[in-house]
Amino acid sequence: MTMIFDLPLSYLGLQLLIGLQNGAFYALLSLGLAVIFGMLNVINFAHGAQYMMGAFLTWMLLDWVGVSYWWSLLLVPLALGAFGILIERALLRWLYDLDHLYGLLLTFGLVLIIEGVFVESFGASGLPYNKPDLLAGAQRIPLGALTGNEKDVMMMPVYRLWIIGVSLAICLATWFGIEKTRLGSYLRAATENPMLVRAFGINVPVMIMLTYAFGTALAGFTGVLAAGLQAVTPHMGANLIIVVFAVVVIGGMGSIMGSVLTGFALGLVEAFVRIAYPEASNIVIFVIMIVVLLVRPAGLFGREA
């Protein structure tokens, strides 16, 4: 078997795959945060709790109602989008003209309430979710053509490949919709000059409401993907959202493509560090964030004020 850095090539390939899969989660969640901040100017700390709600709703649909994973991919984002509309209309719309701190404190309070309700209802231990049979198992990938050794084989879990592929598709579609379509131009214009956009007969409050709903729907969709990969727990969002905020800061607050590229890139960086120096894998993203803030406070893809 071919060895690189005293490690089997198949092991290195699997670690990089895990890095890409983690990067897919970072990209999807940071994309939702970037959309909400870029369009609403709100730091949505509740994004992790909404991601957790998406995973729990996926579990409930299968365990209580018998709704399959494939239907959950559609129904859960719609349900989380409706929840986002409720939050935006009832709470967030009063904060748009205030300092960012008010939105941060409000959404942090929502996190405590939502997590408390789920811990009280389901406990803190994890709940298992069975992924669909179509995505179970692993794909055998021969590497002999690359290494010249016919014994070199890599086993790629199908579900992880699915997460990477569907996440990339959603991220690119979102970027295209915001940056290259007329609706996206209206959204961007509404954040810069809402009075002028209203003068063209566009309902800006409804547009803002739907933007927040879309951001929470992205969190819910990511929760569906996570349910098939790990145990569903009330604290799964809290464990991830801090890293995602670091990804958003590195990419640039409000930068759509910056969040996507940074998310996938940092997932790979984390994987490389886990191979070379595992003890640093949990802090490498935060070290990069500190360096980026010192060199470029607006982030790698953000606009300087």
Side-chain angles (χ1 to χ4, degrees):
M1 182 173 291
T2 302
M3 308 288 286
I4 299 179
F5 303 120
D6 295 327
L7 294 171
L9 181 61
S10 58
Y11 173 79
L12 292 175
L14 181 59
Q15 289 302 312
L16 293 180
L17 177 69
I18 294 173
L20 276 176
Q21 170 241 292
N22 290 337
F25 282 115
Y26 298 159
L28 272 179
L29 288 173
S30 63
L31 176 62
L33 282 175
V35 167
I36 291 172
F37 181 81
M39 305 302 167
L40 281 70
N41 226 17
V42 169
I43 301 174
N44 185 34
F45 204 84
H47 210 64
Q50 291 158 353
Y51 155 79
M52 176 269 293
M53 290 174 67
F56 261 101
L57 186 53
T58 304
W59 176 84
M60 292 177 200
L61 286 173
L62 180 63
D63 194 71
W64 295 357
V65 190
V67 175
S68 71
Y69 174 87
W70 303 108
W71 277 106
S72 293
L73 288 171
L74 174 64
L75 296 177
V76 171
L78 289 176
L80 265 294
F83 177 74
I85 289 175
L86 177 64
I87 295 300
E88 196 278 335
R89 288 289 86 189
L91 300 172
L92 288 179
R93 69 189 181 105
W94 308 105
L95 305 180
Y96 295 146
D97 295 328
L98 303 179
D99 189 87
H100 296 322
L101 182 61
Y102 290 93
L104 178 62
L105 291 174
L106 173 64
T107 54
F108 180 71
L110 285 174
V111 171
L112 299 180
I113 294 171
I114 293 170
E115 287 189 357
V117 169
F118 276 84
V119 169
E120 183 68 25
S121 302
F122 300 98
S125 59
L127 298 172
Y129 182 87
N130 295 322
K131 63 176 72 70
D133 293 337
L134 183 63
L135 300 177
Q139 179 68 40
R140 184 178 184 275
I141 301 177
L143 301 176
L146 295 176
T147 64
N149 187 345
E150 295 182 356
K151 294 182 179 180
D152 288 335
V153 175
M154 185 180 299
M155 301 303 292
M156 290 291 191
V158 175
Y159 195 75
R160 295 184 187 274
L161 293 172
W162 156 254
I163 289 175
I164 295 168
V166 72
S167 300
L168 187 59
I170 293 294
C171 289
L172 291 177
T174 301
W175 170 81
F176 183 84
I178 291 176
E179 298 291 338
K180 302 297 181 180
T181 66
R182 178 174 295 182
L183 176 61
S185 66
Y186 289 157
L187 286 172
R188 288 181 279 112
T191 63
E192 300 290 338
N193 195 331
M195 295 299 295
L196 180 61
V197 174
R198 285 193 183 98
F200 285 95
I202 298 172
N203 193 327
V204 174
V206 170
M207 185 179 295
I208 291 175
M209 176 188 71
L210 294 178
T211 299
Y212 186 78
F214 178 73
T216 57
L218 280 176
F221 183 85
T222 313
V224 179
L225 298 180
L229 188 67
Q230 64 184 84
V232 179
T233 69
H235 300 297
M236 60 189 295
N239 298 334
L240 185 59
I241 194 62
I242 301 301
V243 178
V244 173
F245 266 108
V247 172
V248 173
V249 171
I250 294 169
M253 294 293 289
S255 173
I256 305 300
M257 185 53 70
S259 296
V260 174
L261 294 177
T262 305
F264 279 102
L266 290 179
L268 285 175
V269 169
E270 199 175 48
F272 278 116
V273 173
R274 188 177 293 112
I275 294 170
Y277 189 60
E279 294 83 356
S281 61
N282 291 328
I283 64 170
V284 62
I285 290 179
F286 300 101
V287 172
I288 294 173
M289 181 185 72
I290 292 172
V291 173
V292 169
L293 288 176
L294 289 174
V295 176
R296 185 176 169 81
L300 296 178
F301 299 91
R303 292 180 296 179
E304 298 284 352

